Coordinates of all heavy atoms in Angstrom, one line a residue:
T76 N 103.2 122.9 93.0 CA 102.3 122.9 94.1 C 102.3 124.3 94.7 O 101.2 124.8 95.2 CB 102.8 121.9 95.1 OG1 102.8 120.6 94.4 CG2 101.8 121.8 96.3
E77 N 103.5 124.9 94.8 CA 103.6 126.3 95.4 C 102.7 127.3 94.6 O 102.0 128.1 95.1 CB 105.0 126.8 95.4 CG 105.2 128.1 96.0 CD 106.6 128.7 95.9 OE1 107.4 128.1 95.1 OE2 106.9 129.6 96.6
E78 N 102.8 127.2 93.2 CA 102.0 128.1 92.4 C 100.5 127.9 92.6 O 99.8 128.8 92.6 CB 102.4 127.9 90.9 CG 103.8 128.4 90.6 CD 103.9 129.9 90.8 OE1 102.9 130.6 90.4 OE2 104.9 130.4 91.2
I79 N 100.1 126.6 92.7 CA 98.7 126.4 92.9 C 98.3 126.9 94.2 O 97.2 127.5 94.4 CB 98.5 124.8 92.8 CG1 98.7 124.3 91.3 CG2 97.1 124.4 93.3 CD1 98.6 122.8 91.2
L80 N 99.1 126.8 95.3 CA 98.7 127.3 96.5 C 98.7 128.8 96.6 O 97.9 129.5 97.2 CB 99.7 126.8 97.6 CG 99.7 125.3 98.0 CD1 100.8 125.0 99.0 CD2 98.2 125.0 98.6
K81 N 99.6 129.5 95.8 CA 99.5 130.9 95.7 C 98.3 131.4 94.9 O 97.8 132.4 95.3 CB 100.8 131.4 94.9 CG 102.0 131.5 95.7 CD 103.2 132.0 94.9 CE 104.5 132.1 95.7 NZ 105.6 132.5 94.8
M82 N 97.8 130.6 94.0 CA 96.6 130.9 93.3 C 95.4 130.8 94.2 O 94.5 131.7 94.3 CB 96.4 130.0 92.0 CG 97.3 130.4 90.9 SD 97.2 129.2 89.5 CE 95.7 128.4 89.6
H83 N 95.4 129.8 95.1 CA 94.3 129.6 96.1 C 94.4 130.8 97.1 O 93.3 131.3 97.5 CB 94.5 128.3 96.8 CG 94.1 127.1 96.0 ND1 92.9 127.1 95.4 CD2 94.8 126.0 95.7 CE1 92.8 125.9 94.7 NE2 94.0 125.3 94.9
I84 N 95.6 131.2 97.5 CA 95.6 132.4 98.4 C 95.2 133.6 97.7 O 94.4 134.5 98.3 CB 97.1 132.5 98.8 CG1 97.5 131.4 99.9 CG2 97.4 133.9 99.6 CD1 98.9 131.4 100.2
A85 N 95.6 133.8 96.5 CA 95.2 135.1 95.8 C 93.6 135.0 95.6 O 92.9 136.1 95.7 CB 95.8 135.1 94.4
E86 N 93.0 133.9 95.3 CA 91.6 133.8 95.2 C 90.9 134.0 96.5 O 89.9 134.7 96.5 CB 91.3 132.3 94.7 CG 89.8 132.1 94.5 CD 89.5 130.7 94.1 OE1 90.4 130.0 93.6 OE2 88.3 130.3 94.3
A87 N 91.5 133.6 97.6 CA 90.9 133.8 98.9 C 90.9 135.3 99.3 O 90.1 135.8 100.0 CB 91.5 132.9 100.0
Q88 N 91.9 136.0 98.8 CA 92.2 137.4 99.2 C 91.5 138.3 98.2 O 91.7 139.5 98.3 CB 93.7 137.7 99.3 CG 94.3 137.0 100.5 CD 95.8 137.2 100.5 OE1 96.4 137.7 99.5 NE2 96.4 136.9 101.7
A89 N 90.9 137.8 97.2 CA 90.3 138.6 96.1 C 89.2 139.5 96.7 O 88.5 139.2 97.7 CB 89.7 137.7 95.0
L90 N 89.0 140.7 96.0 CA 88.0 141.6 96.5 C 86.6 141.0 96.5 O 85.7 141.2 97.3 CB 88.0 142.9 95.6 CG 87.1 144.0 96.1 CD1 87.4 144.4 97.4 CD2 87.2 145.1 95.1
D91 N 86.3 140.2 95.5 CA 85.0 139.5 95.3 C 84.7 138.7 96.6 O 83.6 138.6 97.1 CB 84.8 138.7 94.1 CG 84.8 139.5 92.8 OD1 84.5 140.7 92.9 OD2 85.2 139.0 91.8
T92 N 85.7 138.0 97.0 CA 85.5 137.2 98.2 C 85.2 138.0 99.4 O 84.3 137.6 100.2 CB 86.8 136.3 98.5 OG1 87.2 135.7 97.4 CG2 86.6 135.4 99.6
F93 N 85.9 139.1 99.6 CA 85.6 140.1 100.8 C 84.1 140.7 100.6 O 83.4 140.8 101.6 CB 86.6 141.1 100.9 CG 87.9 140.6 101.4 CD1 89.1 140.9 100.7 CD2 88.0 139.9 102.6 CE1 90.3 140.4 101.2 CE2 89.2 139.4 103.0 CZ 90.3 139.7 102.3
E94 N 83.8 141.0 99.3 CA 82.4 141.7 99.2 C 81.3 140.7 99.4 O 80.2 141.1 99.9 CB 82.4 142.2 97.7 CG 83.2 143.4 97.5 CD 83.1 143.9 96.1 OE1 82.6 143.2 95.2 OE2 83.7 145.0 95.8
N95 N 81.5 139.4 99.2 CA 80.4 138.5 99.4 C 80.6 137.7 100.7 O 79.8 136.7 101.0 CB 80.4 137.5 98.3 CG 80.1 138.2 96.9 OD1 79.4 139.2 96.9 ND2 80.8 137.7 95.8
D96 N 81.5 138.1 101.6 CA 81.7 137.4 102.9 C 80.5 137.7 103.8 O 80.2 138.9 104.0 CB 83.0 137.9 103.5 CG 83.4 137.2 104.7 OD1 82.7 136.1 105.0 OD2 84.2 137.6 105.5
P97 N 79.8 136.7 104.4 CA 78.6 137.0 105.2 C 78.9 137.9 106.4 O 78.1 138.6 106.8 CB 78.2 135.6 105.6 CG 78.9 134.6 104.7 CD 80.1 135.3 104.1
A98 N 80.1 137.7 107.0 CA 80.5 138.6 108.1 C 80.6 140.0 107.8 O 80.2 141.0 108.5 CB 81.8 138.1 108.7
I99 N 81.1 140.3 106.5 CA 81.2 141.7 106.1 C 79.8 142.2 105.6 O 79.5 143.4 105.9 CB 82.2 141.8 104.9 CG1 83.6 141.5 105.5 CG2 82.2 143.2 104.3 CD1 84.7 141.5 104.4

Side-chain angles (χ1 to χ4, degrees):
T76 305
E77 180 187 16
E78 288 297 320
I79 291 171
L80 290 174
K81 282 182 181 179
M82 285 177 20
H83 287 304
I84 289 172
E86 181 181 338
Q88 292 175 345
L90 185 59
D91 291 336
T92 305
F93 287 127
E94 287 177 350
N95 298 326
D96 188 14
I99 294 176

